[in-house]
Amino acid sequence: MAELYSEMTKEELLREKKQLKKRYDAFKARGLQLDMSRGKPGQDQLDLSTGIYDVRNYIADGIDVRNYGMLDGIPSCKKLFGDLLGVDAKNVIVGPNASLTLMFDYISQCYTHGAGSTPWCKLDEVKFLCPVPGYDRHFTICEHFGIQMINVPMKEDGPDMDVVEELIKDESVKGIFCVPKYSNPQGITYSDEIVERIAAMKPAAEDFRLIWDNAYCIHDLVEDGDELLNIFDVLPKYNNEDMVIEVCSTSKITFPGAGVSALIASENNLNAIRKRLNAQTISYDKMNQHRHVQFFGNADGVREHMKKHAKILKPKFDMVIDHLEKELGGRGIAKWVNPKGGYFISLDVMNGCAKRTGELCKEAGVTLTPVGATYPYGIDPNDSNIRIAPTFPPVSELNVAAELLCVCVRLACVEKLLG
Amino acid sequence: MAELYSEMTKEELLREKKQLKKRYDAFKARGLQLDMSRGKPGQDQLDLSTGIYDVRNYIADGIDVRNYGMLDGIPSCKKLFGDLLGVDAKNVIVGPNASLTLMFDYISQCYTHGAGSTPWCKLDEVKFLCPVPGYDRHFTICEHFGIQMINVPMKEDGPDMDVVEELIKDESVKGIFCVPKYSNPQGITYSDEIVERIAAMKPAAEDFRLIWDNAYCIHDLVEDGDELLNIFDVLPKYNNEDMVIEVCSTSKITFPGAGVSALIASENNLNAIRKRLNAQTISYDKMNQHRHVQFFGNADGVREHMKKHAKILKPKFDMVIDHLEKELGGRGIAKWVNPKGGYFISLDVMNGCAKRTGELCKEAGVTLTPVGATYPYGIDPNDSNIRIAPTFPPVSELNVAAELLCVCVRLACVEKLLG
């Protein structure tokens, strides 16, 4: 049994430090160059999808997809996303190569034209709620538009809704970013109760928008993955259909940067978006949409494909979790969730030790997501959260990187306790 | 020799009308469904590029293009566009599937964040100059952002610069849209003198932006195509590098909607754009960029490819011009330019007769670009301009459509003269 660091004497801590330092120096001497910073698929995952370029017919729904037209996506691709997300194809817009762009462009639209109300650029103050830890690129969008971010703590089953329900009484709170399934970085799937409470929100701002970033909607690592309640099934009960903009993409199904994204929304919201799209583009890449439909056949085809990804990814996640359990378990210095899907493992270390852990890792040649990035403005108030991205490195490298990370966490905590 | 309509007696006009009506009715009886409305490539043109999907290597400049990264484009594709446009690759951002999106997003950026000055959304009035006739989608962007458009007449060698130089003394005039080579719709290439005068502009607005939409930069129909002076070679002389944003794309080189776009700008402008891109996307479609580079090899490869397009398109343009000359020549009711490149033929008919011509065409089953679309707000003050898009219909259909169009023009003019 590992010993709680908090119960160690100074001498024991010093001994521990010495041992850890020795291991650390040995790692350092290897001149490693390992990267666990971003949720990138590994090369073997990318190889799963290159067959998509064998598609050689260009007629979709009777239309030559090589030419102009079909502003909001080809019908067959709308149907594919509709089937995957349990919504009607008519509520789907098929977008560009990244859902990030769909989100940015939508917030930009709210900023320039409003969401059925005053354009946000005409308001003195616009605030967004950000469940933390969260996805840094959501925060970047808010920062770009000068939207003030308010942290909302994540609980085990989703955002703290007591806090949310209080904060949305402020009319200048215009929205919230959520990753409801296998959340980035914690891998938490919102419970049915939380989804219901979210769908039932009555924000003071009429133009409040919930960005439902369903990035990991079918990204299970195990057979019995989490089930997320379909928020669009619940919204009508509360007359809240116009509150939610859902997005997803195939960035981690086929190719990051060469996939297809989709946006799901109410008729009202889609009309407002189409009005903007009509000025912004003639169509997105329909050939890519068509290739995706042809390659997968249907939603089941996509789900089967995801099992191949899981087969590659599960051992990587297991390996990191094993190291965490072995090195950090029982010492009272770290907590983590063992996710059933998604792309990350979120590690919370002793307060005040995350930055130092990152520094130690970097010195020894392992790049982590910058500590703090999982919080708005890059400020983790507890200096505690570390996002681990185990997908990209090959297993052999990951093995080294994960062990080294654990050594760094322990070292940082010992240093902290020694003061 | 055809007779001038203006010199015909009423009786002669009535006889002419009767003959034309007979021809028109014969066309109408055929139940035609022909489309000359948009600048779409024909199917045979699309077939020229499908070999691009044979590209099966995914390493560009040492990077796996299937994964995340490289925000502003892969170096080899920057170089390709740089070589085509005579600029340094470092001044190129490779963009999404359409230059329209690059333009919209840039104007949106100026609206939300300004162009080194006050965001345009914070100003009471923002105006843009629009050389007319022009490209409807430029106007749509302006309208979307509530930018007031001011018509500037096109002369034979570009926009009327006396008018432009006067209008830019107004500080609320923030920009101008130009299609400097084979302009849409007239096919006019700006003369060296005009480009020089444009480059030398000293607008009252410091944040004045010239959108240089070089959509037809290499889209010659003939061997001795027009030469456009490279504005980026001239700008330094006037310290005006930050004034110009140039865009282009392969929409009409490979595939509309599945091509690659590029933006050329000064270091200052590129930095401001990259800052926004960093929030808007992780990268554009690098696989498509890479495919384009591999398929063409280099800039000469693209130019050779364009000759194949020209071979398909030249007979279509010739056919339309033949009909125009035969039917409308010498009657004093229409003017047109015989362009050496681009995608359109611009036809100016007797004042007050363009709308009626469009109606007559439509009734007989030929769709034209909506009359008026070549002017801001869809209002052609003279009701005179018709944009002919001869590229999409097969030759046999075009032959019928062009003849019918001429009959409609003549009929509309006769009707007008008869009062």
Side-chain angles (χ1 to χ4, degrees):
Chain A
M1 259 306 272
E3 204 180 341
L4 285 171
Y5 272 26
S6 59
E7 291 181 1
M8 282 186 179
T9 63
K10 191 177 169 183
E11 262 172 29
E12 286 170 324
L13 284 170
L14 283 169
R15 199 161 47 236
E16 176 81 356
K17 185 179 173 184
K18 202 175 159 188
Q19 282 170 357
L20 289 166
K21 191 67 179 28
K22 205 173 148 193
R23 285 176 71 191
Y24 178 74
D25 287 340
F27 275 112
K28 213 170 152 182
R30 292 166 66 176
L32 302 169
Q33 266 196 312
L34 308 174
D35 193 336
M36 292 202 295
S37 70
R38 306 264 4 149
K40 289 165 73 170
Q43 198 188 306
D44 41 3
Q45 291 180 267
L46 301 174
D47 290 340
L48 295 175
S49 300
T50 46
I52 203 167
Y53 294 106
D54 295 335
V55 173
R56 275 296 193 286
N57 74 72
Y58 306 108
I59 306 296
D61 311 298
I63 301 288
D64 189 334
V65 294
R66 297 173 301 175
N67 221 321
Y68 284 118
M70 310 198 91
L71 179 67
D72 63 356
I74 63 173
S76 56
C77 198
K78 288 186 186 184
K79 184 176 181 328
L80 183 67
F81 278 110
D83 289 349
L84 282 172
L85 294 162
V87 297
D88 199 309
K90 77 172 169 26
N91 291 104
V92 178
I93 285 178
V94 188
N97 66 330
S99 56
L100 181 64
T101 305
L102 283 174
M103 291 185 278
F104 177 96
D105 286 1
Y106 184 71
I107 299 295
S108 183
Q109 175 181 323
C110 293
Y111 189 81
T112 60
H113 288 71
S117 190
T118 314
W120 295 354
C121 67
K122 305 290 184 194
L123 303 174
D124 290 332
E125 216 175 29
V126 176
K127 298 178 195 142
F128 253 63
L129 307 183
C130 299
V132 291
Y135 178 35
D136 56 347
R137 290 189 178 270
H138 291 160
F139 310 148
T140 305
I141 292 175
C142 287
E143 249 189 299
H144 182 77
F145 290 104
I147 295 172
Q148 193 185 321
M149 291 177 272
I150 305 171
N151 294 0
V152 171
M154 278 289 284
K155 300 176 81 168
E156 275 176 24
D157 60 349
D160 187 330
M161 288 307 294
D162 292 339
V163 174
V164 169
E165 283 159 1
E166 192 55 37
L167 289 168
I168 60 175
K169 290 175 184 165
D170 175 354
E171 215 190 344
S172 69
V173 171
K174 296 294 187 191
I176 181 171
F177 272 107
C178 293
V179 182
K181 191 167 177 186
Y182 303 133
S183 69
N184 177 350
Q186 293 169 299
I188 289 172
T189 300
Y190 293 10
S191 69
D192 291 359
E193 292 69 30
I194 294 289
V195 174
E196 183 94 25
R197 260 175 97 175
I198 289 175
M201 286 190 298
K202 292 290 169 213
E206 274 181 75
D207 53 352
F208 183 97
R209 286 296 179 272
L210 165 61
I211 311 295
W212 200 243
D213 183 358
N214 210 346
Y216 309 106
C217 49
I218 52 167
H219 300 57
D220 304 316
L221 291 168
V222 293
E223 284 280 333
D224 63 328
D226 294 340
E227 293 282 345
L228 175 72
L229 188 61
N230 183 350
I231 196 164
F232 278 100
D233 288 343
V234 191
L235 290 167
K237 191 156 98 188
Y238 303 99
N239 251 323
N240 256 346
E241 292 97 319
D242 291 344
M243 187 176 68
V244 179
I245 303 289
E246 180 173 7
V247 300
C248 67
S249 82
T250 69
S251 291
K252 285 163 182 122
I253 297 174
T254 54
F255 304 112
V260 173
S261 65
L263 182 150
I264 294 96
S266 71
E267 190 69 15
N268 284 337
N269 284 328
L270 290 180
N271 285 339
I273 291 167
R274 280 193 204 103
K275 204 174 158 193
R276 183 243 311 160
L277 280 185
N278 188 50
Q280 190 178 17
T281 186
I282 299 177
S283 78
Y284 290 118
D285 187 340
K286 296 185 302 294
M287 289 178 85
N288 203 23
Q289 296 171 23
H290 180 59
R291 273 196 298 268
H292 276 72
V293 174
Q294 295 288 307
F295 182 62
F296 290 120
N298 55 35
D300 280 338
V302 184
R303 291 190 196 98
E304 279 308 307
H305 186 78
M306 292 313 288
K307 288 184 186 165
K308 298 181 199 163
H309 281 288
K311 211 173 153 188
I312 293 171
L313 290 179
K314 186 64 168 60
K316 293 188 175 183
F317 277 75
D318 285 348
M319 172 175 282
V320 173
I321 295 289
D322 281 352
H323 279 290
L324 295 179
E325 282 173 359
K326 200 176 119 205
E327 296 270 352
L328 306 180
R331 300 191 194 276
I333 53 171
K335 282 186 297 187
W336 59 91
V337 182
N338 188 354
K340 288 186 168 182
Y343 258 63
F344 302 103
I345 296 167
S346 176
L347 176 66
D348 281 307
V349 298
M350 228 171 73
N351 284 357
C353 293
K355 265 217 174 78
R356 178 61 182 148
T357 301
E359 282 166 16
L360 287 166
C361 281
K362 194 166 185 183
E363 266 179 54
V366 169
T367 309
L368 298 178
T369 305
V371 169
T374 51
Y375 283 77
Y377 309 107
I379 300 166
D380 173 357
N382 296 320
D383 184 20
S384 154
N385 188 250
I386 292 168
R387 186 181 83 163
I388 305 171
T391 56
F392 183 66
V395 170
S396 58
E397 290 185 13
L398 185 66
N399 198 22
V400 178
E403 188 187 340
L404 173 59
L405 167 65
C406 292
V407 169
C408 292
V409 170
R410 289 172 63 178
L411 202 48
C413 292
V414 167
E415 283 177 4
K416 175 86 179 177
L417 287 165
L418 284 168
Chain B
M1 257 310 272
E3 203 179 342
L4 285 171
Y5 272 27
S6 58
E7 293 180 0
M8 283 186 178
T9 64
K10 191 176 171 184
E11 261 171 31
E12 284 171 327
L13 284 170
L14 282 169
R15 197 161 51 236
E16 175 82 356
K17 185 179 175 185
K18 202 174 160 188
Q19 281 171 357
L20 290 165
K21 191 71 178 31
K22 203 173 151 193
R23 285 177 71 191
Y24 179 72
D25 287 340
F27 275 113
K28 213 169 153 181
R30 291 166 67 176
L32 302 169
Q33 268 195 311
L34 308 175
D35 192 338
M36 291 203 296
S37 70
R38 304 260 13 142
K40 291 165 73 170
Q43 198 186 305
D44 41 3
Q45 290 181 270
L46 302 173
D47 290 339
L48 296 175
S49 299
T50 48
I52 203 168
Y53 293 105
D54 295 334
V55 173
R56 275 295 192 285
N57 75 71
Y58 307 109
I59 305 296
D61 311 297
I63 301 288
D64 189 335
V65 293
R66 298 173 302 175
N67 222 322
Y68 284 118
M70 311 197 91
L71 179 67
D72 64 356
I74 62 173
S76 56
C77 198
K78 288 185 186 184
K79 183 175 182 331
L80 183 66
F81 279 110
D83 289 349
L84 281 172
L85 293 162
V87 297
D88 199 308
K90 79 172 167 27
N91 290 104
V92 177
I93 285 179
V94 189
N97 66 329
S99 56
L100 181 64
T101 305
L102 283 174
M103 291 186 277
F104 176 96
D105 286 0
Y106 184 72
I107 299 295
S108 184
Q109 174 182 324
C110 292
Y111 190 79
T112 60
H113 288 72
S117 189
T118 313
W120 295 353
C121 66
K122 305 291 185 196
L123 303 174
D124 291 331
E125 217 175 30
V126 176
K127 298 177 195 143
F128 252 63
L129 308 183
C130 299
V132 291
Y135 178 36
D136 56 347
R137 290 187 178 273
H138 291 160
F139 309 149
T140 306
I141 292 174
C142 287
E143 249 188 300
H144 182 78
F145 290 104
I147 295 171
Q148 194 186 320
M149 292 176 272
I150 304 171
N151 295 359
V152 171
M154 278 288 285
K155 299 175 82 169
E156 274 176 26
D157 60 348
D160 187 328
M161 288 307 295
D162 292 338
V163 174
V164 168
E165 282 159 1
E166 191 56 36
L167 288 169
I168 60 175
K169 290 176 184 165
D170 174 354
E171 215 191 342
S172 68
V173 171
K174 295 295 185 189
I176 181 170
F177 272 106
C178 294
V179 182
K181 190 167 177 186
Y182 303 133
S183 70
N184 178 348
Q186 293 168 299
I188 289 171
T189 299
Y190 294 11
S191 68
D192 290 359
E193 292 69 29
I194 293 289
V195 174
E196 183 94 22
R197 260 175 97 174
I198 289 175
M201 286 191 297
K202 291 291 168 211
E206 273 181 76
D207 52 353
F208 183 96
R209 286 295 179 272
L210 164 61
I211 311 296
W212 200 243
D213 182 359
N214 211 345
Y216 309 105
C217 49
I218 51 167
H219 300 57
D220 303 315
L221 290 168
V222 293
E223 284 281 332
D224 62 329
D226 294 340
E227 293 283 344
L228 175 71
L229 187 60
N230 183 352
I231 195 163
F232 278 99
D233 287 344
V234 191
L235 290 167
K237 191 156 98 187
Y238 302 100
N239 250 323
N240 256 346
E241 293 97 320
D242 291 343
M243 186 176 67
V244 179
I245 304 288
E246 179 172 9
V247 300
C248 66
S249 81
T250 70
S251 291
K252 286 162 181 121
I253 297 172
T254 55
F255 304 112
V260 174
S261 65
L263 182 150
I264 294 94
S266 71
E267 191 68 15
N268 285 338
N269 284 327
L270 290 179
N271 285 339
I273 291 168
R274 281 194 204 102
K275 204 173 159 194
R276 183 243 310 160
L277 280 184
N278 189 49
Q280 190 178 17
T281 187
I282 300 177
S283 78
Y284 291 118
D285 187 339
K286 297 185 300 296
M287 289 177 85
N288 204 23
Q289 295 171 24
H290 180 60
R291 272 195 298 268
H292 277 72
V293 174
Q294 293 290 306
F295 182 61
F296 291 119
N298 55 35
D300 280 338
V302 184
R303 290 188 196 101
E304 280 307 308
H305 186 78
M306 292 313 288
K307 289 184 186 162
K308 298 181 199 163
H309 281 287
K311 211 173 152 187
I312 294 171
L313 290 178
K314 187 64 168 58
K316 293 187 176 185
F317 277 75
D318 285 347
M319 172 175 282
V320 173
I321 295 288
D322 281 353
H323 279 289
L324 295 179
E325 282 173 357
K326 201 176 117 204
E327 297 270 351
L328 307 180
R331 301 189 195 278
I333 55 171
K335 282 186 297 187
W336 59 92
V337 182
N338 188 354
K340 286 187 170 183
Y343 258 64
F344 302 103
I345 296 167
S346 176
L347 176 66
D348 281 309
V349 298
M350 224 171 75
N351 283 358
C353 293
K355 265 217 174 75
R356 178 60 183 149
T357 301
E359 281 166 16
L360 287 166
C361 281
K362 193 165 186 184
E363 265 179 56
V366 169
T367 309
L368 298 178
T369 306
V371 170
T374 51
Y375 283 77
Y377 310 107
I379 300 166
D380 173 357
N382 296 321
D383 184 19
S384 154
N385 188 249
I386 292 169
R387 185 181 81 164
I388 304 171
T391 56
F392 183 66
V395 170
S396 58
E397 290 185 12
L398 186 66
N399 197 23
V400 178
E403 187 186 342
L404 174 58
L405 167 64
C406 292
V407 169
C408 293
V409 170
R410 289 172 64 178
L411 201 48
C413 292
V414 168
E415 282 177 6
K416 176 86 179 177
L417 288 166
L418 284 168

